[in-house]
Amino acid sequence: MSDDIQHRISAEGADPLLFAGVNEGNLQELQRTLGVRISFRGDAVTVSGTAEQVERAAPVVQGLLDLARIGEPVTPDDVYRLAADTPTGEALTAGDGKIVLPGLRRAISPKTQGQRDYLQAIANHDIVVGIGPAGTGKTYLAVAKAVEALARKRVKRIILARPAVEAGESLGFLPGDLQAKVDPYLRPLYDALEDMMPHDRVQRALETRTIEIAPLAYMRGRTLADAFIILDEAQNATGAQMKMFLTRLGVNSKTVVTGDKTQIDLPRREESGLVQVERVLPGIEGIAFCYLHETDVVRHRLVREIIRAYAEDQSG
């Protein structure tokens, strides 16, 4: 068409296979979602379409190239998410806030503005409360920051805690020894760690207690200094447990609390320590609250749509 324009974007340093995707699926999604034509030749990507289409597509293409430059796998879901999240003319720089871990062949990067704000809050505050739905990276990014702090010797150990079971950590009825009882509840934390460290290094750190993964009840009576401490699934901690946990904080320590208020399994919602700290702690210097939303979901695009559908149903 005569009113179409072309815009060239440098792709220098970007892995062309990561950018284009399997069978050029990312390029096809760009064209389908944004209505532009994409040409990838040499060290440049050419975006063609109307002025309005190109203005919207250019920052999305730039964000995908940034991901490909740091070795992040790029999928059609990333295209969809960036297209939904990127304001016209504003590039989302994927490298902002990236976490580079020893022995990991790729950097871990925030993929949405909400995730970037969350990582920035962790860097700048001693206590951060991250609240949001499943799939927004609350726990994963917190564990990445903990591993980074340990690798850079900013802390001497990592402590990861979870309420072991929904109703007050009643483990007695479960089969097996204590470790067998709690492992299923702590498995997501092991999985996050092993995505960031070689398996043998994780095992050594667990044996030497450089990394400790334990039920929340194990925190009672301890003072945790020189540590990066994460409380996951905090919506299922009672108010008393939450106060106990937060008051464990020692010198040169950082705490991240993560939870999803739509997933409270306690008998009464008002007993949730996560709901309580939202009411009690805002305004205290050194404590930050970060809210992630369905727009920050980085799992399959359908996860975002499912979360939105349930939220609309509950508000209806």
Side-chain angles (χ1 to χ4, degrees):
M1 294 177 59
S2 58
D3 59 348
D4 278 6
I5 64 170
Q6 290 188 342
H7 179 63
R8 280 170 56 87
I9 301 172
S10 172
E12 187 175 356
D15 185 319
L17 295 178
L18 289 179
F19 172 70
V22 177
N23 297 323
E24 297 194 340
N26 298 337
L27 303 186
Q28 293 170 20
E29 183 68 13
L30 275 167
Q31 294 175 145
R32 186 191 69 79
T33 303
L34 298 170
V36 292
R37 297 184 302 282
I38 302 290
S39 174
F40 190 13
R41 297 287 183 274
D43 284 337
V45 176
T46 301
V47 183
S48 305
T50 66
E52 184 179 347
Q53 288 171 331
V54 170
E55 184 182 11
R56 184 177 176 215
V60 177
V61 171
Q62 186 66 66
L64 295 170
L65 286 168
D66 288 340
L67 286 170
R69 283 191 179 96
I70 60 175
E72 275 281 321
V74 183
T75 70
D77 281 344
D78 292 318
V79 178
Y80 176 83
R81 189 187 63 257
L82 284 173
D85 294 347
T86 307
T88 301
E90 292 185 17
L92 288 173
T93 306
D96 288 354
K98 70 179 178 181
I99 302 167
V100 180
L101 303 176
L104 200 64
R105 287 180 294 177
R106 62 179 177 84
I108 294 172
S109 294
K111 291 189 173 185
T112 68
Q113 187 60 50
Q115 289 188 346
R116 269 187 286 281
D117 294 343
Y118 179 50
L119 288 179
Q120 193 64 44
I122 293 174
N124 294 335
H125 297 81
D126 289 336
I127 296 178
V128 173
V129 181
I131 298 173
T136 51
K138 305 181 301 294
T139 303
Y140 190 85
L141 291 174
V143 172
K145 289 298 286 184
V147 173
E148 179 190 44
L150 185 66
R152 297 192 178 190
K153 302 190 186 308
R154 293 174 184 159
V155 297
K156 293 180 179 177
R157 56 184 171 154
I158 296 171
I159 297 170
L160 309 175
R162 259 188 168 200
V165 273
E166 292 78 4
E169 307 196 16
S170 302
L171 297 170
F173 68 92
L174 293 171
D177 61 15
L178 181 61
Q179 198 63 40
K181 291 175 191 287
V182 301
D183 267 358
Y185 302 99
L186 305 177
R187 175 49 51 189
L189 298 174
Y190 286 104
D191 291 344
L193 271 177
E194 291 187 353
D195 201 35
M196 299 170 197
M197 298 171 65
H199 178 77
D200 59 337
R201 194 182 302 169
V202 173
Q203 292 306 309
R204 284 198 303 273
L206 290 169
E207 289 167 6
T208 60
R209 299 180 72 80
T210 303
I211 298 177
E212 183 179 347
I213 304 177
L216 174 58
Y218 280 34
M219 300 299 106
R220 193 174 304 278
R222 302 174 62 183
T223 299
L224 305 174
D226 294 309
F228 197 116
I229 314 147
I230 299 172
L231 175 59
D232 191 34
E233 298 287 344
Q235 74 275 2
N236 289 326
T238 65
Q241 287 175 326
M242 181 68 78
K243 180 181 177 184
M244 175 274 291
F245 174 80
L246 290 174
T247 54
R248 300 308 93 200
L249 190 67
V251 176
N252 189 43
S253 287
K254 189 179 290 285
T255 292
V256 178
V257 174
T258 70
D260 178 356
K261 292 190 295 181
T262 69
Q263 298 291 326
I264 295 172
D265 296 310
L266 296 167
R268 289 187 296 277
R269 185 180 186 279
E270 61 271 15
E271 290 182 350
S272 170
L274 187 63
V275 174
Q276 187 182 59
V277 296
E278 245 192 323
R279 185 176 71 250
V280 173
L281 298 184
I284 298 178
E285 187 176 353
I287 301 177
F289 283 79
C290 289
Y291 292 88
L292 296 156
H293 306 281
E294 70 267 10
T295 53
D296 298 301
V297 170
V298 293
R299 293 178 184 169
H300 193 286
R301 75 175 66 180
L302 286 176
V303 174
R304 179 190 296 201
E305 299 301 327
I306 290 166
I307 290 168
R308 184 177 294 141
Y310 272 95
E312 289 173 356
D313 180 69
Q314 289 172 359
S315 63

